[in-house]
Amino acid sequence: MDQPKIERMLRLMKMLTANTLYTVDDIAERLGMSRRTVYRYIDTFRDAGFVIKKSDGIIRLDKESPHFKDISQLVHFTEEEAVILKRAIESIDDTNLLKQNLKRKLYSVYDNKILADTIVRGGNASNVRNIVEAIEQKRRAVLHDYRSAHGSAVRDRLVEPFAFTTNYVQVWCYDTEDDTCKLFKTARIGEVTVTDTPWRNESAHVKGFVDIFRMHGQKRLRIRLAMGIMARNLLLEEYPLAEQYVTRMEDGRWLLDTEVADYAGAARFTVGLMDDIEIADSPELKQYIDDYVRRFWPTACGAAHATER
């Protein structure tokens, strides 16, 4: 079994032994996998002797299962253990590539406000900790001096934060100003204040569509990319969630068949690897890349057609 699968299974086991209750749909969404994959992993646990219980849609790993105590201790850290792990990781020289790998692996199986310090550096860490607190206490928060990406406006936003994206880069919030759920980039927040006001719209807390390239939006645009081994490896390294959408082709290449919220992420990835990627059955993406290349590299506009073989 490869490393990404082991990490996902550990995250799944953590969810099945946590105090929070999850449905299969909840698990699939949080782990970025299909319901079919969730059930396959659960069957693996069952085959290993664990007792799986399901009631009213909620699925749990039963505490009477063999080795439950040992496993639950393995996938959960105490506050003290988390602090020790944080200090140990931060003591590694920043130039050591293993440091980032350790951070990513630790984040993949455990996520709390102490480990947020390990993932998020600098002044942004205190904002992330405050947002984590607001989520845990189900309270509203004020994002002070938030810098909008769609203009020069800098103003306070009263929100109900409820979930982070990978590595705390963005946070899903219910925006009380226009009663919609949005993503806010943590790096654009000046300061965070947790209010005494509890959430009032929890039933409306719904995360929107975020594609494998971490783009988000309301659209779902299908793309198909035929990739060589180099492009395939770089894709899975940069965007781990892509793995479930990649299959081996008869000619030895790899096919990425997925939906995206915006062509921008896929275009940036493709343009950087034009000699190892062919765009298959995605004319809209081809046109987007043609326009993209003409706009930013007008002298190389013909290069985009190298993807059309």
Side-chain angles (χ1 to χ4, degrees):
M1 184 179 296
D2 61 22
Q3 180 177 301
K5 289 184 180 179
I6 293 173
E7 291 180 0
R8 286 197 297 273
M9 291 188 77
L10 283 172
R11 293 179 67 191
L12 172 58
M13 186 170 286
K14 176 183 179 295
M15 293 182 72
L16 294 178
T17 58
N19 292 327
T20 306
L21 302 180
Y22 298 103
T23 65
V24 171
D25 288 335
D26 292 334
I27 294 171
E29 182 180 1
R30 286 173 177 264
L31 298 186
M33 61 177 66
S34 66
R35 287 169 52 89
R36 181 178 179 182
T37 300
V38 173
Y39 278 119
R40 187 169 69 248
Y41 286 178
I42 289 173
D43 287 341
T44 300
F45 294 155
R46 187 179 288 111
D47 292 342
F50 291 99
V51 178
I52 305 296
K53 287 191 173 181
K54 187 174 182 180
S55 176
D56 297 326
I58 303 299
I59 194 160
R60 301 279 295 162
L61 196 157
D62 191 82
K63 293 184 178 181
E64 299 305 315
S65 300
H67 312 300
F68 176 88
K69 183 177 180 180
D70 293 339
I71 293 296
S72 62
Q73 289 178 347
L74 173 66
V75 297
H76 290 83
F77 299 111
T78 66
E79 295 291 307
E80 184 178 3
E81 288 169 340
V83 170
I84 292 172
L85 286 169
K86 171 186 178 297
R87 290 175 180 172
I89 291 174
E90 289 302 333
S91 69
I92 301 173
D93 191 283
D94 284 335
T95 61
N96 192 323
L97 295 178
L98 290 175
K99 183 171 185 176
Q100 292 302 320
N101 289 336
L102 286 169
K103 286 184 179 182
R104 185 166 54 251
K105 291 176 184 178
L106 190 57
Y107 175 83
S108 73
V109 296
Y110 196 71
D111 177 8
N112 74 353
K113 57 190 174 185
I114 288 184
L115 292 182
D117 287 343
T118 300
I119 303 298
V120 182
R121 301 297 300 275
N124 201 32
S126 61
N127 286 340
V128 170
R129 285 197 301 272
N130 287 340
I131 295 172
V132 170
E133 179 183 337
I135 293 173
E136 291 179 343
Q137 297 181 4
K138 296 188 175 183
R139 294 187 179 277
R140 289 184 168 185
V142 179
L143 310 183
H144 295 283
D145 300 326
Y146 184 77
R147 302 183 300 278
S148 174
H150 306 291
S152 58
V154 178
R155 57 192 177 89
D156 295 352
R157 311 293 285 269
L158 178 63
V159 301
E160 296 179 2
F162 58 90
F164 285 100
T165 62
T166 302
N167 288 1
Y168 305 93
V169 173
Q170 300 177 97
V171 58
W172 282 106
C173 298
Y174 181 88
D175 190 346
T176 62
E177 185 175 299
D178 56 12
D179 298 321
T180 59
C181 293
K182 300 177 180 177
L183 273 175
F184 291 86
K185 283 198 172 183
T186 54
R188 293 181 181 151
I189 303 171
E191 189 177 353
V192 176
T193 299
V194 181
T195 74
D196 293 328
T197 306
W199 289 348
R200 295 176 180 171
N201 304 278
E202 185 172 1
S203 61
H205 292 183
V206 178
K207 290 187 287 184
F209 173 49
V210 180
D211 65 31
I212 62 170
F213 297 102
R214 305 186 185 104
M215 306 297 293
H216 66 92
Q218 302 301 317
K219 297 180 181 178
R220 288 179 178 265
L221 310 168
R222 187 183 180 191
I223 64 167
R224 300 178 79 240
L225 303 178
M227 306 175 293
I229 187 64
M230 180 178 70
R232 179 259 187 191
N233 289 345
L234 287 174
L235 176 71
L236 298 188
E237 287 174 10
E238 291 188 43
Y239 308 105
L241 294 180
E243 183 189 18
Q244 60 189 308
Y245 305 109
V246 175
T247 56
R248 188 71 178 266
M249 301 171 66
E250 292 183 358
D251 62 5
R253 292 183 299 168
W254 299 83
L255 178 67
L256 171 66
D257 188 342
T258 189
E259 292 181 324
V260 295
D262 189 292
Y263 289 130
R268 284 196 291 267
F269 176 77
T270 302
V271 168
L273 294 161
M274 282 184 175
D275 59 345
D276 203 39
I277 296 178
E278 175 188 353
I279 301 174
D281 302 329
S282 304
E284 293 86 0
L285 177 59
K286 285 183 180 179
Q287 185 60 54
Y288 184 95
I289 290 178
D290 280 346
D291 296 339
Y292 182 95
V293 172
R294 288 192 181 96
R295 186 164 64 252
F296 294 103
W297 299 287
T299 60
C301 62
H305 298 287
T307 60
E308 300 184 40
R309 292 195 278 267

